[in-house]
Amino acid sequence: MKFKDFPLNVRLRLVCGFFIRIVGSAIFPFMALYFSEELGKIVAGIIMTSFVVVGYVTGLFGGYFSDRFNRKHVLQIGQIVQILCFMGMTVAIHPSNNWALVVAVLYFGHAVANGLNYPALEAIVIDSMEESNRKAIYVYDYWLVNLAIAGGVMLGGAFYRDYRFGLFVGMTLVLTITTLVLQRFLVDSYKGNRSTSANPLVGVYQNYRIALSDRRWMLFVLGSMLVFSTEFHMANYIGVHLAESFTERSIVGVPFDGVRMMAFMQLENTLLVVAITFAVTAFVKRYREKYIFFIGLSLYVTAYAAITSMNSFITLAVLAIVFTIGELLYSPIRQVKQIDLIDPTRRASYLAFGGLTFHGAKLVAAAGIVVGAFIGPVFMSGYMFLFGALGGYLYYVSLYKMEPARQLAA
C-alpha cells in the first residue's frame, strides 16, 4: 500500500509527526546538557528524572480524558499548552535572558501537555486504521521516525551550541503550524465514553484496573519492557563498557574510542533503517508473520546481548547490522499486534498505560550499570539475553497462547 492510499488522519499524523520529531531531535537530546551547564549536574538529573515521571503520570490522565471526552478537544488543549510553553522557553533561552529556571518550569509544562496529547492523537489515528493497512502504516512510521531522528541529531549537533535560540524559534513555528493543520483537517468521530466516573482520580483508577486485569495486555507490556531494556542498555551499561574496554584505534584515519564506537553503531542503525526498511518488508511478505516476528526478535536480542561483551570494531559493526535487521523484522509486527490487544472502548487509556514499556525498560537498563559492576561483561551478556528471552516468551504467551479476554473491559 502506498502513502497516498492511507486514510487522511494517518497521513496527517505521519507528516506532522515527522516535522515535530526532526526539530525536537535537535533540541531534546541536548536539554540535559543545558540544565547541567546552567544549574549543575545534580539539579539537572533531578529535573530530567522528574520529567519522565510526570510525563508518564500525566499520560495516564490524558488517556482517561481522551476516552471520556472528544479526543480532538483534548488534543487541542494539549497542543495550545505546548505552543505557549515553547513560546516562553524561546524567550527565556535567548542569550540576553538565559533564564534556566524558567526554561525548566516551562519544559515541565511541555511534558504535562505531551502527556495529554499522545494518547488522544494515537487513539484518533488508530481509530482511522483498517486491519489490512496497519502493518504498512507502521513500516512507514518506523522509517520516518528514524529519518527524522537522524536529521534532527545532525541539525542539533551542528546548531544547538551556537544557534540554540533559532532552534527554539523553529520548534515553536513547527508546533504552531502542525497544530493548525491538525485542527483544520483531522477528523474525529469519537464522541466520548461517559460510562467512566466523572471524577478523574476514580476514572483513572477504574480504567487502569481494567488494563491491569487484562492478562494478555499485561504480559505484552511486560514482555515489551524486557525486550526494549536490551536496547536501552546501549545508553547505560554498553556505553560504560565500551568507554572502559574499547582500545582506541584509527579507522580510515579517524580516531575511534569507545564513545565514538557507540555513536558509530547508532548512526549505522539509523542509516540502515532509512536505506533498507522497504526492501526488507517486501522480502519477508512471502513468509509467515509469526516466524518473521520471532526470527527478528531473536536477532535483535542476541545481537544486543553479544555487544555487551565485545570490543572489536569489526564485530561490533557487524552486530549493529544484525540488531538493525532484527528490529526491522519484528518491530512493525509488534505494533500491529499491540493494537489487536487493546480494548477499543478504552484505547487511549491502554496506550497511556503501555507507556510503562519505555519507562520500565529505562529503569531496567539503568540498573544494569550496577549489576554489570558485579558480574562483568561476559555474564552481563547472559543477563541481558535472559531478559530478552523472557520478554520473547511473554510475547509468545500473550499473542499466540492466550485467548482474548474482552469481557474484562465490559
Side-chain angles (χ1 to χ4, degrees), residues 43-124:
V43 175
I46 294 172
I47 289 173
M48 299 308 292
T49 302
S50 68
F51 289 158
V52 174
V53 174
V54 168
Y56 180 66
V57 173
T58 308
L60 297 181
F61 284 90
Y64 160 77
F65 289 124
S66 299
D67 282 335
R68 180 169 172 78
F69 304 108
N70 179 273
R71 288 167 177 159
K72 191 171 180 179
H73 293 165
V74 177
L75 180 63
Q76 281 177 323
I77 294 170
Q79 288 177 319
I80 291 170
V81 173
Q82 276 189 309
I83 292 171
L84 293 175
C85 286
F86 259 92
M87 283 181 175
M89 281 192 283
T90 301
V91 174
I93 210 164
H94 189 277
S96 64
N97 299 321
N98 199 27
W99 303 324
L101 283 175
V102 174
V103 174
V105 171
L106 292 172
Y107 195 53
F108 184 90
H110 160 73
V112 171
N114 193 59
L116 287 174
N117 279 359
Y118 174 78
L121 181 56
E122 292 304 304
I124 291 173

Side-chain angles (χ1 to χ4, degrees), residues 53-296:
V53 174
V54 168
Y56 180 66
V57 173
T58 308
L60 297 181
F61 284 90
Y64 160 77
F65 289 124
S66 299
D67 282 335
R68 180 169 172 78
F69 304 108
N70 179 273
R71 288 167 177 159
K72 191 171 180 179
H73 293 165
V74 177
L75 180 63
Q76 281 177 323
I77 294 170
Q79 288 177 319
I80 291 170
V81 173
Q82 276 189 309
I83 292 171
L84 293 175
C85 286
F86 259 92
M87 283 181 175
M89 281 192 283
T90 301
V91 174
I93 210 164
H94 189 277
S96 64
N97 299 321
N98 199 27
W99 303 324
L101 283 175
V102 174
V103 174
V105 171
L106 292 172
Y107 195 53
F108 184 90
H110 160 73
V112 171
N114 193 59
L116 287 174
N117 279 359
Y118 174 78
L121 181 56
E122 292 304 304
I124 291 173
V125 173
I126 291 173
D127 287 343
S128 306
M129 294 182 186
E130 297 175 1
E131 189 172 347
S132 60
N133 62 21
R134 286 175 183 170
K135 186 175 179 181
I137 289 169
Y138 281 120
V139 168
Y140 270 93
D141 183 53
Y142 180 73
W143 184 77
L144 285 171
V145 166
N146 280 273
L147 182 63
I149 291 174
V153 169
M154 288 189 289
L155 189 69
F159 298 107
Y160 186 84
R161 181 69 72 176
D162 298 323
Y163 301 98
R164 187 163 52 211
F165 175 73
L167 290 177
F168 273 79
V169 170
M171 187 63 176
T172 304
L173 290 174
V174 168
L175 282 174
T176 302
I177 293 170
T178 55
T179 295
L180 292 173
V181 170
L182 289 175
Q183 298 313 318
R184 172 66 178 83
F185 297 106
L186 196 69
V187 179
D188 180 23
S189 58
Y190 183 78
K191 302 301 181 184
N193 175 15
R194 301 305 176 92
S195 64
T196 55
S197 172
N199 184 322
L201 290 175
V202 175
V204 167
Y205 169 76
Q206 290 175 339
N207 277 355
Y208 298 108
R209 179 178 56 81
I210 291 171
L212 283 166
S213 301
D214 189 333
R215 291 185 63 202
R216 291 188 78 201
W217 175 247
M218 284 306 301
L219 289 177
F220 181 85
V221 170
L222 291 174
S224 298
M225 183 181 76
L226 294 174
V227 169
F228 286 3
S229 72
T230 60
E231 178 179 349
F232 290 176
H233 275 91
M234 180 72 86
N236 292 275
Y237 178 81
I238 293 175
V240 174
H241 165 67
L242 289 176
E244 293 176 347
S245 67
F246 189 84
T247 303
E248 185 170 341
R249 67 204 68 184
S250 179
I251 308 295
V252 294
V254 179
F256 264 76
D257 57 11
V259 175
R260 284 189 173 179
M261 185 68 233
M262 187 176 74
F264 176 78
M265 286 191 292
Q266 291 173 324
L267 178 63
E268 192 179 0
N269 169 253
T270 303
L271 294 179
L272 277 172
V273 167
V274 172
I276 68 173
T277 292
F278 297 107
V280 170
T281 302
F283 176 76
V284 300
K285 279 183 179 178
R286 69 193 77 175
Y287 302 106
R288 287 188 61 183
E289 183 181 85
K290 177 179 176 180
Y291 296 149
I292 295 300
F293 179 79
F294 285 106
I295 289 172

